[in-house]
Amino acid sequence: MTDGREVQWVEVTEGQVGQRVDNFLMTRIKGAPRALIYRIVRKGEVRVNKKRVKADTRLALGDVVRIPPLKLAPREAVREVSDNLRNLLAGSVLLEGRDWMVLNKPSGLAVHGGSGVKIGLIEALRQVREDLDFLELVHRLDRDTSGCLLLAKSRPALLSLNESLKRHEMNKQYLALVAGRWPARRDFVSARLDRFDAGNGERRVRVDSGGKVARTRFAVREAFARATLIEAEPITGRTHQIRVHAAHAGHPLLGDDKYGTREAGRVAARLGLSRLFLHAASLTFPEPTSGKPVKIRAPLGETLDGVLESARNAR
């Protein structure tokens, strides 16, 4: 990794072939936020084979990348991983293969830094796992969602797993607690989704006939007095898809401060829920090298288990 004191010339190795310039730089420049990476690329300070490039330029074997000297201001630097976060991440690994790993992502931790978030899961994990030269997210989870998160430890594995996503060979099952009684016959929601600016710089999603196709399967797992535990399987992978589709069906997720209702908020408060009840409970994917299916489950944890017990005892 560059330490920021001098120009670095780095030759692209076989494991980095096809990697985007911005992701390559994120792994090479310790503590650099993504916004700074984009800025130095845009200004032409980063060169590949002595030529200007864009952030999404793909690297080839033998390319030589110029990394400029950088001195990060305290407000720009990604902060060091605290001992608590380091221990949390180390204890969150559910299963690890030669070139992939699956974490039980904690709720409240963004997968990427930026937009006021000094450090995200991927930046923190790169500090924790200094033994790895390559580490990238295969998919994402919302900041407040917990559960199965897949990462690749090599470029070939990332490409293979991305192809599996495109071919719908990866299956994700979520558990969510929603307000009210979800109808047992309501097993499918198909409603186009559109991202929009909420007016305060926050991006949200709404059902819109001009939006992108989005489909989600739902199944009732357990019914309570004022809430229902449902299983959700997103067929498409749109932002906030499960949350918006559930709210569109009239049963918003409990603990959802973006798409919830006052009544849902009251139910959550009665159950002692202080976070979004959305958990990526299981993940199935083909192993990148062998192609054999790998299925992993992530336990709900004490907090969400406790909420369900409160729901069972509610009258």
Side-chain angles (χ1 to χ4, degrees), residues 145-217:
T145 303
S146 56
C148 294
L149 182 68
L150 179 60
L151 300 98
K153 299 195 293 184
S154 73
R155 184 67 189 168
L158 179 63
L159 295 175
S160 174
L161 292 168
N162 282 340
E163 280 301 310
S164 297
L165 268 175
K166 292 177 183 177
R167 293 195 297 263
H168 303 286
E169 296 172 346
M170 198 173 291
N171 182 267
K172 306 172 190 173
Q173 299 282 347
Y174 293 77
L175 289 177
L177 190 63
V178 301
R181 288 291 188 97
W182 185 281
R185 295 182 178 179
R186 187 73 186 264
D187 59 358
F188 190 79
V189 173
S190 178
R192 289 177 175 267
L193 300 180
D194 179 54
R195 296 180 66 178
F196 70 100
D197 190 339
N200 56 356
E202 182 182 19
R203 300 289 289 177
R204 293 200 181 188
V205 178
R206 62 189 168 197
V207 172
D208 190 290
S209 59
K212 295 182 178 179
V213 172
R215 301 185 180 94
T216 310
R217 290 193 183 97

Side-chain angles (χ1 to χ4, degrees), residues 100-130:
W100 55 267
M101 74 170 69
V102 179
L103 295 185
N104 186 359
K105 187 189 87 66
S107 174
L109 179 61
V111 294
H112 269 304
S115 301
V117 179
K118 279 292 185 182
I119 190 167
L121 180 145
I122 187 64
E123 293 89 3
L125 199 57
R126 284 171 181 154
Q127 291 186 41
V128 173
R129 294 297 301 271
E130 294 183 325

